[in-house]
Amino acid sequence: MSSADAKAARRAKFEGVFEKIRDELIEHFAAQGMPQEAIDWYRNNLNYNVPGGKLNRGMSVVDTVEILKGRALTEEEYFKAAILGWGVELLQAYFLVADDMMDQSITRRGQPCWYRIPEVGHIAINDSFMLEAAIYRLLKVHFRSEPYYADLLDLFHETTYQTEMGQLVDLITAPEDKVDLSKFSLERHRLIVIYKTAFYSFYLPVACAMLVSRIPETYTVPSSTTPVRPYDLALSILLPLGEYFQIQDDFLDFAGTPEQIGKIGTDIIDNKCSWVVNTAIKLATPEQRRVLDENYGRKDAEKERRVKALFEELDIRGHYAAYEERVVKELNEKIDQIEEVEGGLKREVFRSFLAKIYKRSK
């Protein structure tokens, strides 16, 4: 089987679990005496908003459990890991349905945003709540008897809160219709990225896998008397990894071609608080800063062209290349320091994440 075929088979198996849990959620919903119209609506909400993305976050739960156990999973182990993976994807869907309304976005994953479907409109607010609530229904049904059930609840609630903090800071820093670059800085960008993206996209899937794999809160290694705190250790690697991922995304929005990234970059005209503009702000002379103030965040092709020309003048590409090499070196050093013991963290968990991201072009 080719690697492309293996990847497709892996995705199909994961999607098969979604069909089971979707039907389970619908069955429970119907059993509450809900009318057929509402049952159909809920099913459409789940089908439209949950399974259509890349599924990287959800499938990484399964991948991480396999790495931690060091073997192929039994059907039961796979199913439980995949449920947690779909919990992450449900959380993502909840965020995206709400985020698209806040940003007045037009399309998502190649189709109209859910709220833009004429009969949906503002009902999408409640639909987003239902996507979030589905997570806790699934956790209750499948994990209530597990000793780590409370830890899972705490993990999902805490991660949701952190992501919403990041979203708030992003919304008040860079509203699309009011450009104020004095609010921008690399420090503000880092705060937004870690809270809005890194916790739920990188730490949450790995922490879910660690809990279902029964990784303890602390354990000892032969070389030290100080106990290892594996969840803190994972966080110390995954947050900078998530920051690197988003910075890479910001850079590709500016430097990637539509053929590479599958879309036309819009961060400049959308007034995004991206790493690219914040790096430019840090490097700019007063005259260059004026160019940014007068042209960034405007729905104008000529002004966008001026900003891009300034980014080239400031050698943003060179600064990104230097940043990437530095951060990857630091991450590899942190990963190499992990001492592996039976039932503990494995370096391969983090290496596999880093391998997927390093030098990506889409």
Side-chain angles (χ1 to χ4, degrees):
M1 187 186 287
S2 71
S3 61
D5 288 342
K7 190 176 179 182
R10 183 172 144 265
R11 182 182 173 109
K13 184 177 181 183
F14 186 66
E15 287 174 327
V17 175
F18 174 72
E19 291 168 13
K20 289 178 186 172
I21 62 174
R22 176 202 59 206
D23 293 348
E24 178 190 308
L25 288 165
I26 296 298
E27 188 179 325
H28 171 262
F29 185 76
Q32 310 310 303
M34 294 294 117
Q36 189 61 46
E37 182 186 8
I39 295 166
D40 293 341
W41 187 285
Y42 187 30
R43 184 185 289 105
N44 289 338
N45 176 18
L46 290 164
N47 285 334
Y48 196 93
N49 293 305
V50 183
K54 295 174 186 170
L55 306 183
N56 289 339
R57 293 170 180 83
M59 288 195 291
S60 68
V61 178
V62 177
D63 293 346
T64 303
V65 174
E66 285 185 339
I67 292 167
L68 291 172
K69 289 190 176 291
R71 57 171 172 78
L73 304 182
T74 66
E75 278 305 308
E76 185 184 351
E77 287 170 338
Y78 180 90
F79 188 61
K80 294 201 99 159
I83 290 169
L84 292 179
W86 282 111
V88 178
E89 292 293 334
L90 278 161
L91 188 66
Q92 158 93 332
Y94 156 55
F95 291 147
L96 295 183
V97 169
D99 189 51
D100 286 342
M101 293 189 79
M102 290 180 235
D103 292 346
Q104 292 293 287
S105 298
I106 306 298
T107 60
R108 168 73 64 184
R109 296 170 175 170
Q111 59 186 7
C113 296
W114 179 243
Y115 82 95
R116 286 183 58 83
I117 294 173
E119 63 270 26
V120 176
H122 283 89
I123 299 173
I125 296 170
N126 193 64
D127 290 335
S128 74
F129 299 160
M130 291 192 71
L131 293 170
E132 184 197 22
I135 299 165
Y136 299 101
R137 175 71 202 164
L138 292 170
L139 293 180
K140 182 178 178 180
V141 170
H142 295 280
F143 294 93
R144 195 175 186 182
S145 62
E146 300 290 354
Y148 54 86
Y149 175 57
D151 294 318
L152 279 176
L153 294 178
D154 185 52
L155 175 64
F156 273 94
H157 281 131
E158 186 71 11
T159 305
T160 302
Y161 192 25
Q162 288 160 332
T163 308
E164 288 160 352
M165 290 181 201
Q167 173 74 342
L168 173 61
V169 178
D170 191 22
L171 288 168
I172 63 177
T173 300
E176 209 172 315
D177 57 347
K178 189 179 178 189
V179 183
D180 181 1
L181 297 186
S182 69
K183 290 184 176 182
F184 285 24
S185 68
L186 283 168
E187 293 71 28
R188 176 66 66 98
H189 175 265
R190 183 170 185 271
L191 184 74
I192 291 168
V193 166
I194 284 175
Y195 278 83
K196 186 179 173 180
T197 302
F199 278 112
Y200 96 90
S201 296
F202 287 84
Y203 179 66
L204 175 61
V206 172
C208 281
M210 290 168 68
L211 287 169
V212 80
S213 301
R214 310 294 181 94
I215 302 291
E217 283 188 20
T218 61
Y219 57 79
T220 56
V221 294
S223 65
S224 175
T225 54
T226 306
V228 174
R229 301 182 67 83
Y231 293 86
D232 291 346
L233 178 56
L235 197 64
S236 75
I237 297 170
L238 292 163
L239 291 189
L241 191 67
E243 184 184 8
Y244 165 42
F245 175 83
Q246 185 59 54
I247 286 172
Q248 192 176 51
D249 222 45
D250 291 353
F251 175 72
L252 288 171
D253 188 273
F254 154 63
T257 64
E259 292 74 32
Q260 275 182 314
I261 62 175
K263 62 177 182 179
I264 296 168
T266 60
D267 283 1
I268 293 171
I269 61 171
D270 288 345
N271 190 38
K272 294 292 185 186
C273 182
S274 87
W275 177 86
V276 178
V277 71
N278 281 299
T279 301
I281 287 168
K282 188 175 180 181
L283 297 169
T285 64
E287 189 179 329
Q288 290 169 326
R289 174 58 188 268
R290 264 196 306 279
V291 173
L292 280 175
D293 284 330
E294 289 167 8
N295 295 281
Y296 193 78
R298 310 308 203 276
K299 310 285 189 198
D300 181 304
E302 177 55 28
K303 292 189 173 186
E304 181 187 25
R305 189 197 62 73
R306 282 182 206 145
V307 173
K308 283 186 173 179
L310 179 60
F311 288 166
E312 298 291 6
E313 193 180 310
L314 291 167
D315 189 25
I316 293 297
R317 292 171 194 269
H319 285 279
Y320 173 75
Y323 160 78
E324 182 169 51
E325 292 311 310
R326 184 181 77 251
V327 77
V328 168
K329 181 172 179 285
E330 289 168 0
L331 285 166
N332 275 319
E333 286 170 356
K334 279 188 175 183
I335 294 166
D336 289 343
Q337 286 167 11
I338 296 171
E339 191 166 341
E340 296 188 0
V341 295
E342 186 68 31
L345 270 185
K346 301 280 192 293
R347 288 186 285 269
E348 181 55 29
V349 167
F350 308 101
R351 284 186 179 140
S352 67
F353 269 92
L354 190 53
K356 288 172 193 167
I357 297 169
Y358 183 52
K359 298 283 189 189
R360 75 185 171 102
S361 59
K362 61 182 180 179

